[in-house]
């Protein structure tokens, strides 16, 4: 399967921390990278962290050095730590700074609970693993909970723990990697294993028309047409 675009678009930041849920953002980061985005990991510090699956990741940068102006997106993945300690609260605070600056934030699973505790879901449409899960945080945004696989509300994207493909769909659409039929085909391929979607996703996109080639023959001198001199198309 080919990459979607050959040029660089910007930098996306993936938050990583101990008990990071490996499976929740793989589709998102892989296709952002194929779509021309640089993906950098950001941890509490630059010390290595260990995922739920036992993978050891050395963050590219520390959270304190991350600023919204330098990013196209902040991705927050679920982790056991969201529900057992306050260690990840600084990541929710960073999400607030991103949203205040108009830079998108995507959160899945436990990260949505972290945003709820920080008050970031009190007045925004959102979803999560279950409404009762967020209710347990004591947040005040229950009226804005949406029963959906993923929800985009302005610059905030949320999804539940079983919906990594839906999260990626919303992110890829929001950042312009895919749109329209191709975005739908991408989702149907990776969520539904639809073979027809594979053909559509890999179909060649039409090339934009280029400049006509010169014939090499000198052009005959002639009076300008009425459309050329008036600035109107012929027949107008």
């Amino acid at each position: 399967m080919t990459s979607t675009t050959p040029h660089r678009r910007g930098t996306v930041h993936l938050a990583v921390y101990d008990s990071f849920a490996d499976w929740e953002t793989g589709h998102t980061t892989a296709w952002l990278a194929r779509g021309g985005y640089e993906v950098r990991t950001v941890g509490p510090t630059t010390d290595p962290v260990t995922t739920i699956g036992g993978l050891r990741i050395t963050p590219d940068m520390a959270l304190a050095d991350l600023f919204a102006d330098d990013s196209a997106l902040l991705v927050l993945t679920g982790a056991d730590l969201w529900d057992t300690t306050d260690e990840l609260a600084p990541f929710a605070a960073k999400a607030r700074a991103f949203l205040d600056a108009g830079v998108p934030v995507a959160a899945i699973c436990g990260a949505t609970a972290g945003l709820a505790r920080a008050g970031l879901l009190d007045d925004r449409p959102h979803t999560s693993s279950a409404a009762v899960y967020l209710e347990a945080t004591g947040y005040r945004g229950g009226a804005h909970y949406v029963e959906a696989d993923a929800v985009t509300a302005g610059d905030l994207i949320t999804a539940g723990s079983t919906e990594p493909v839906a999260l990626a769909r919303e992110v890829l659409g929001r950042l312009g990697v895919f749109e329209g039929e191709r975005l739908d085909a991408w989702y149907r391929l990776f969520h539904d294993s639809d073979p027809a979607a594979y053909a559509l996703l890999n179909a060649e996109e039409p090339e934009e028309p280029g400049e006509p080639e010169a014939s090499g023959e000198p052009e005959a001198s002639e009076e300008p047409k009425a459309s050329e001199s008036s600035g109107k198309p012929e027949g107008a």
Side-chain angles (χ1 to χ4, degrees):
M1 202 171 289
T2 58
S3 61
T4 59
T5 183
H7 60 274
R8 284 287 180 195
R9 293 172 180 254
T11 303
V12 166
H13 291 89
L14 172 67
V16 295
Y17 19 72
D18 285 330
S19 73
F20 169 92
D22 316 48
W23 63 93
E24 291 181 343
T25 54
H27 288 89
T28 298
T29 54
W31 285 90
L32 285 172
R34 284 192 162 195
Y37 286 93
E38 178 186 9
V39 178
R40 301 196 72 204
T41 53
V42 53
T45 66
T46 55
D47 293 337
V49 299
T50 304
T51 72
I52 290 178
L55 300 181
R56 194 170 171 83
I57 300 174
T58 301
D60 294 316
M61 62 187 301
L63 184 64
D65 297 323
L66 175 63
F67 299 96
D69 289 347
D70 300 323
S71 184
L73 171 75
L74 173 62
V75 182
L76 299 176
T77 296
D80 294 341
L81 291 179
W82 282 112
D83 295 322
T84 57
T85 75
D86 293 329
E87 288 181 35
L88 302 185
F91 285 91
K94 187 67 69 173
R96 180 184 294 279
F98 268 57
L99 293 171
D100 287 346
V103 180
V105 172
I108 184 170
C109 189
T112 63
L115 298 188
R117 293 187 186 94
L120 292 173
L121 304 185
D122 286 349
D123 56 4
R124 292 179 171 93
H126 60 275
T127 194
S128 183
S129 301
V132 66
Y133 172 57
L134 292 187
E135 288 170 7
T137 67
Y139 87 132
R140 293 179 288 183
H144 299 289
Y145 188 89
V146 181
E147 292 288 353
D149 55 6
V151 172
T152 296
D155 292 319
L156 179 64
I157 299 168
T158 50
S161 57
T162 61
E163 300 294 346
V165 181
L167 175 77
R169 178 196 65 210
E170 297 301 302
V171 169
L172 298 177
R174 179 68 173 77
L175 267 62
V177 174
F178 294 119
E179 59 185 18
E181 287 187 351
R182 286 174 64 80
L183 179 61
D184 178 65
W186 183 90
Y187 180 72
R188 288 189 289 113
L189 176 61
F190 287 96
H191 188 269
D192 304 328
S193 300
D194 182 350
Y198 181 89
L200 178 57
L201 184 61
N202 287 278
E204 296 254 345
E205 292 189 81
E207 294 184 7
E208 295 184 8
E211 294 292 326
E213 293 185 12
S215 64
E217 298 180 3
E219 295 183 6
S221 176
E222 58 180 36
E223 293 296 319
K225 296 177 182 177
S227 62
E228 293 174 336
S229 59
S230 66
K232 298 180 181 178
E234 290 186 69

